[in-house]
Amino acid sequence: MTSNSWKNKGKSINVFGRKLFVIDTGLVSSLTEKPLKETLVILHGYPTSSYDYYKVLPVLIKKYRVIIHDHLGFGFSNKPLDYSYSLIEQADFALQLWKQLNVTKITLLAHDYGTSIATEILARHNKQQIDLQINKLIICNGSIHIELSQLRTIQKLLKSKITGKWVAKLTSYTIFKKNLRNVYFDKTKVTEEELKEMWFQLKQNNGRKVIHLLSNYINERYYFWHRWIGALKETQIPTKIIWAKNDPVAVATIANLLAKEISNNKLFWIENCGHFPMLEKPNEWSKLVLE
């Protein structure tokens, strides 16, 4: 699917004076024409966008009203230079968006970067600071335990206040393509067309000028470690951990540790699969989400 085809599925919504690109499949299933009872909200990963879900969206909408947005700084959303890109503020934006869409009960699904936003939302939920009913939580391949993560060299360079800006300027499609391919288990599962679409969306709205600012999320994972890991330990929400076993970044050790820490959880493995299971093994991933 092309970026333009994906963009045509959604619209821009003004949240706190910034425009977020949002896909909302609505309250009615195109297959059954009956109101759907459940809403699935998705928090995507770094450095990509909601486009990560283009293969699985047709399956997910059979059960859910699906709402997925590009975080500020990603995809087709605004990418302001005068912004902190804190995960705390990304949580503010997600919660306000859902409020504007009159969403009160959700299944919350998060991958990669999105898992940190999800744990910030959980921290607030545990303290009854937000008026939102989270029925289920689904966590996929995120370096929540940042101390166990196997960060790529480019991630380390981008998060640095010294090298980040320069690395962002020098980053090319060739470098982007190489790094993204390397987090797949089966490198043939990502096509040149897909990579070009991802790069196109990354560059939208002066995206290369903010990529190093987005990378500060890694530092925040250390800074808010006790808050976010504590939120997972405290929550009683039924949690499904769906983990691609051969992820070279968010390694399998993280999933095993989360399974020990979250009280009400089930862990499901996807064998022979890398960091983007919804793209590399969409059928298997979708089945586990919907079960």
Side-chain angles (χ1 to χ4, degrees):
M1 177 180 285
T2 66
S3 290
N4 283 334
S5 299
W6 184 249
K7 191 176 184 181
N8 288 336
K9 289 182 177 292
K11 61 181 179 179
S12 284
I13 295 180
N14 193 300
V15 180
F16 297 137
R18 312 282 192 182
K19 288 183 178 178
L20 295 184
F21 172 72
V22 184
I23 290 177
D24 178 0
T25 63
L27 291 168
V28 176
S29 164
S30 58
L31 296 176
T32 63
E33 292 305 320
K34 293 178 182 177
L36 295 172
K37 294 178 182 177
E38 294 184 76
T39 299
L40 175 71
V41 296
I42 299 177
L43 300 170
H44 73 77
Y46 169 98
T48 47
S49 68
S50 57
Y51 182 74
D52 294 347
Y53 295 84
Y54 87 89
K55 288 182 179 177
V56 297
L57 186 63
V59 180
L60 297 178
I61 62 173
K62 291 177 183 178
K63 179 177 179 181
Y64 291 108
R65 170 192 182 184
V66 179
I67 298 172
I68 179 168
H69 69 282
D70 290 344
H71 308 303
L72 204 69
F74 295 78
F76 294 115
S77 290
N78 281 173
K79 298 172 182 175
L81 291 172
D82 59 335
Y83 190 71
S84 72
Y85 293 104
S86 166
L87 290 159
I88 303 288
E89 289 183 289
Q90 296 284 27
D92 291 338
F93 270 85
L95 290 166
Q96 179 61 24
L97 170 67
W98 302 335
K99 186 177 181 181
Q100 287 177 208
L101 294 174
N102 298 314
V103 173
T104 56
K105 300 176 183 179
I106 62 168
T107 291
L108 175 57
L109 187 153
H111 170 247
D112 184 68
Y113 178 96
T115 60
S116 292
I117 302 170
T119 50
E120 171 57 27
I121 291 169
L122 274 188
R124 301 183 198 186
H125 184 268
N126 291 343
K127 294 178 175 65
Q128 298 181 333
Q129 293 173 335
I130 54 174
D131 187 19
L132 184 68
Q133 183 178 319
I134 304 174
N135 296 322
K136 284 176 277 187
L137 174 66
I138 304 171
I139 299 173
C140 310
N141 291 76
S143 299
I144 305 169
H145 273 284
I146 189 64
E147 73 281 5
L148 298 175
S149 177
Q150 302 298 308
L151 294 176
R152 316 303 285 179
T153 302
I154 195 165
Q155 287 178 290
K156 294 176 184 176
L157 292 170
L158 280 168
K159 79 180 180 72
S160 166
K161 286 185 174 150
I162 299 167
T163 59
K165 190 174 182 179
W166 303 108
V167 172
K169 279 186 177 182
L170 294 169
T171 298
S172 64
Y173 172 63
T174 304
I175 293 169
F176 170 81
K177 177 170 72 170
K178 180 185 175 186
N179 277 279
L180 214 70
R181 270 196 202 280
N182 283 342
V183 297
Y184 277 72
F185 176 76
D186 182 351
K187 313 249 181 315
T188 66
K189 293 292 184 183
V190 59
T191 66
E192 189 75 21
E193 288 70 26
E194 279 176 327
L195 291 165
K196 283 179 179 175
E197 298 298 346
M198 291 174 185
W199 176 247
F200 173 79
Q201 291 189 36
L202 185 149
K203 290 195 303 173
Q204 285 293 293
N205 305 327
N206 293 317
R208 286 175 66 182
K209 290 185 178 179
V210 303
I211 188 81
H212 64 292
L213 300 175
L214 301 179
S215 303
N216 189 52
Y217 81 94
I218 296 166
N219 297 320
E220 283 194 299
R221 275 181 163 157
Y222 284 105
Y223 190 81
F224 292 107
W225 191 95
H226 292 288
R227 176 177 174 83
W228 293 341
I229 297 299
L232 287 168
K233 289 178 178 178
E234 188 182 334
T235 188
Q236 295 301 308
I237 295 168
T239 301
K240 196 181 284 187
I241 304 167
I242 300 175
W243 217 265
K245 205 167 191 177
N246 305 92
D247 188 336
V249 183
V251 292
T253 312
I254 296 174
N256 283 319
L257 185 52
L258 290 173
K260 291 177 183 176
E261 292 173 330
I262 301 169
S263 61
N264 187 9
N265 82 85
K266 288 185 179 179
L267 171 58
F268 300 90
W269 294 108
I270 299 179
E271 302 283 346
N272 301 321
C273 186
H275 186 66
F276 289 96
M278 68 291 298
L279 286 168
E280 190 170 349
K281 290 205 169 183
N283 294 337
E284 193 172 337
W285 181 88
S286 300
K287 188 178 177 183
L288 290 172
V289 169
L290 294 177
E291 273 182 357

PDB file of all heavy atoms in Angstrom, residues 25-36 61-62:
ATOM      1  N   THR A  25     -11.694   3.747  12.382  1.00  0.00           N
ATOM      2  CA  THR A  25     -12.544   2.919  11.517  1.00  0.00           C
ATOM      3  C   THR A  25     -14.013   2.985  11.911  1.00  0.00           C
ATOM      4  O   THR A  25     -14.851   2.361  11.272  1.00  0.00           O
ATOM      5  CB  THR A  25     -12.072   1.451  11.503  1.00  0.00           C
ATOM      6  OG1 THR A  25     -12.181   0.907  12.823  1.00  0.00           O
ATOM      7  CG2 THR A  25     -10.639   1.352  11.027  1.00  0.00           C
ATOM      8  N   GLY A  26     -14.330   3.747  12.953  1.00  0.00           N
ATOM      9  CA  GLY A  26     -15.717   4.023  13.302  1.00  0.00           C
ATOM     10  C   GLY A  26     -16.379   2.942  14.115  1.00  0.00           C
ATOM     11  O   GLY A  26     -15.785   1.909  14.439  1.00  0.00           O
ATOM     12  N   LEU A  27     -17.645   3.175  14.428  1.00  0.00           N
ATOM     13  CA  LEU A  27     -18.383   2.280  15.318  1.00  0.00           C
ATOM     14  C   LEU A  27     -19.036   1.120  14.589  1.00  0.00           C
ATOM     15  O   LEU A  27     -19.583   0.233  15.198  1.00  0.00           O
ATOM     16  CB  LEU A  27     -19.462   3.070  16.055  1.00  0.00           C
ATOM     17  CG  LEU A  27     -18.945   4.077  17.083  1.00  0.00           C
ATOM     18  CD1 LEU A  27     -20.065   4.986  17.534  1.00  0.00           C
ATOM     19  CD2 LEU A  27     -18.333   3.362  18.265  1.00  0.00           C
ATOM     20  N   VAL A  28     -19.010   1.146  13.265  1.00  0.00           N
ATOM     21  CA  VAL A  28     -19.705   0.112  12.499  1.00  0.00           C
ATOM     22  C   VAL A  28     -18.717  -0.692  11.663  1.00  0.00           C
ATOM     23  O   VAL A  28     -17.867  -0.146  10.987  1.00  0.00           O
ATOM     24  CB  VAL A  28     -20.775   0.742  11.584  1.00  0.00           C
ATOM     25  CG1 VAL A  28     -21.434  -0.310  10.710  1.00  0.00           C
ATOM     26  CG2 VAL A  28     -21.815   1.449  12.425  1.00  0.00           C
ATOM     27  N   SER A  29     -18.819  -2.004  11.749  1.00  0.00           N
ATOM     28  CA  SER A  29     -17.978  -2.881  10.940  1.00  0.00           C
ATOM     29  C   SER A  29     -18.507  -2.911   9.510  1.00  0.00           C
ATOM     30  O   SER A  29     -19.694  -3.090   9.276  1.00  0.00           O
ATOM     31  CB  SER A  29     -17.984  -4.299  11.518  1.00  0.00           C
ATOM     32  OG  SER A  29     -17.483  -5.210  10.571  1.00  0.00           O
ATOM     33  N   SER A  30     -17.596  -2.785   8.575  1.00  0.00           N
ATOM     34  CA  SER A  30     -18.003  -2.811   7.167  1.00  0.00           C
ATOM     35  C   SER A  30     -18.498  -4.195   6.761  1.00  0.00           C
ATOM     36  O   SER A  30     -19.176  -4.356   5.762  1.00  0.00           O
ATOM     37  CB  SER A  30     -16.817  -2.411   6.285  1.00  0.00           C
ATOM     38  OG  SER A  30     -15.738  -3.290   6.506  1.00  0.00           O
ATOM     39  N   LEU A  31     -18.178  -5.212   7.563  1.00  0.00           N
ATOM     40  CA  LEU A  31     -18.570  -6.578   7.215  1.00  0.00           C
ATOM     41  C   LEU A  31     -19.939  -6.937   7.795  1.00  0.00           C
ATOM     42  O   LEU A  31     -20.750  -7.587   7.149  1.00  0.00           O
ATOM     43  CB  LEU A  31     -17.522  -7.573   7.725  1.00  0.00           C
ATOM     44  CG  LEU A  31     -16.125  -7.440   7.099  1.00  0.00           C
ATOM     45  CD1 LEU A  31     -15.157  -8.407   7.766  1.00  0.00           C
ATOM     46  CD2 LEU A  31     -16.182  -7.741   5.609  1.00  0.00           C
ATOM     47  N   THR A  32     -20.214  -6.499   9.007  1.00  0.00           N
ATOM     48  CA  THR A  32     -21.453  -6.919   9.665  1.00  0.00           C
ATOM     49  C   THR A  32     -22.506  -5.822   9.731  1.00  0.00           C
ATOM     50  O   THR A  32     -23.681  -6.093   9.919  1.00  0.00           O
ATOM     51  CB  THR A  32     -21.156  -7.377  11.105  1.00  0.00           C
ATOM     52  OG1 THR A  32     -20.645  -6.241  11.829  1.00  0.00           O
ATOM     53  CG2 THR A  32     -20.148  -8.499  11.137  1.00  0.00           C
ATOM     54  N   GLU A  33     -22.049  -4.559   9.594  1.00  0.00           N
ATOM     55  CA  GLU A  33     -22.943  -3.403   9.726  1.00  0.00           C
ATOM     56  C   GLU A  33     -23.641  -3.397  11.082  1.00  0.00           C
ATOM     57  O   GLU A  33     -24.762  -2.917  11.218  1.00  0.00           O
ATOM     58  CB  GLU A  33     -23.973  -3.377   8.589  1.00  0.00           C
ATOM     59  CG  GLU A  33     -23.373  -3.093   7.227  1.00  0.00           C
ATOM     60  CD  GLU A  33     -22.556  -1.802   7.175  1.00  0.00           C
ATOM     61  OE1 GLU A  33     -22.968  -0.805   7.766  1.00  0.00           O
ATOM     62  OE2 GLU A  33     -21.487  -1.822   6.553  1.00  0.00           O
ATOM     63  N   LYS A  34     -22.992  -3.953  12.097  1.00  0.00           N
ATOM     64  CA  LYS A  34     -23.521  -3.905  13.463  1.00  0.00           C
ATOM     65  C   LYS A  34     -22.565  -3.090  14.327  1.00  0.00           C
ATOM     66  O   LYS A  34     -21.356  -3.128  14.122  1.00  0.00           O
ATOM     67  CB  LYS A  34     -23.647  -5.320  14.043  1.00  0.00           C
ATOM     68  CG  LYS A  34     -24.696  -6.171  13.357  1.00  0.00           C
ATOM     69  CD  LYS A  34     -24.714  -7.558  13.958  1.00  0.00           C
ATOM     70  CE  LYS A  34     -25.730  -8.443  13.239  1.00  0.00           C
ATOM     71  NZ  LYS A  34     -25.726  -9.819  13.761  1.00  0.00           N
ATOM     72  N   PRO A  35     -23.104  -2.353  15.299  1.00  0.00           N
ATOM     73  CA  PRO A  35     -22.220  -1.583  16.178  1.00  0.00           C
ATOM     74  C   PRO A  35     -21.235  -2.509  16.891  1.00  0.00           C
ATOM     75  O   PRO A  35     -21.603  -3.578  17.375  1.00  0.00           O
ATOM     76  CB  PRO A  35     -23.190  -0.948  17.181  1.00  0.00           C
ATOM     77  CG  PRO A  35     -24.515  -0.953  16.491  1.00  0.00           C
ATOM     78  CD  PRO A  35     -24.513  -2.185  15.628  1.00  0.00           C
ATOM     79  N   LEU A  36     -19.995  -2.106  16.911  1.00  0.00           N
ATOM     80  CA  LEU A  36     -18.985  -2.894  17.600  1.00  0.00           C
ATOM     81  C   LEU A  36     -18.894  -2.440  19.043  1.00  0.00           C
ATOM     82  O   LEU A  36     -18.933  -1.247  19.336  1.00  0.00           O
ATOM     83  CB  LEU A  36     -17.626  -2.716  16.910  1.00  0.00           C
ATOM     84  CG  LEU A  36     -17.552  -3.253  15.479  1.00  0.00           C
ATOM     85  CD1 LEU A  36     -16.230  -2.852  14.836  1.00  0.00           C
ATOM     86  CD2 LEU A  36     -17.695  -4.753  15.462  1.00  0.00           C
ATOM     87  N   ILE A  61     -10.348  -4.882  12.105  1.00  0.00           N
ATOM     88  CA  ILE A  61     -11.651  -4.216  12.085  1.00  0.00           C
ATOM     89  C   ILE A  61     -12.820  -5.201  12.087  1.00  0.00           C
ATOM     90  O   ILE A  61     -13.972  -4.801  12.270  1.00  0.00           O
ATOM     91  CB  ILE A  61     -11.788  -3.242  10.899  1.00  0.00           C
ATOM     92  CG1 ILE A  61     -11.690  -3.980   9.561  1.00  0.00           C
ATOM     93  CG2 ILE A  61     -10.773  -2.124  10.984  1.00  0.00           C
ATOM     94  CD1 ILE A  61     -11.983  -3.082   8.356  1.00  0.00           C
ATOM     95  N   LYS A  62     -12.531  -6.486  11.915  1.00  0.00           N
ATOM     96  CA  LYS A  62     -13.603  -7.490  11.993  1.00  0.00           C
ATOM     97  C   LYS A  62     -14.157  -7.566  13.414  1.00  0.00           C
ATOM     98  O   LYS A  62     -15.315  -7.906  13.624  1.00  0.00           O
ATOM     99  CB  LYS A  62     -13.084  -8.859  11.549  1.00  0.00           C
ATOM    100  CG  LYS A  62     -12.758  -8.930  10.069  1.00  0.00           C
ATOM    101  CD  LYS A  62     -12.186 -10.287   9.701  1.00  0.00           C
ATOM    102  CE  LYS A  62     -11.782 -10.336   8.227  1.00  0.00           C
ATOM    103  NZ  LYS A  62     -11.180 -11.641   7.874  1.00  0.00           N
TER     104      LYS A  62
END
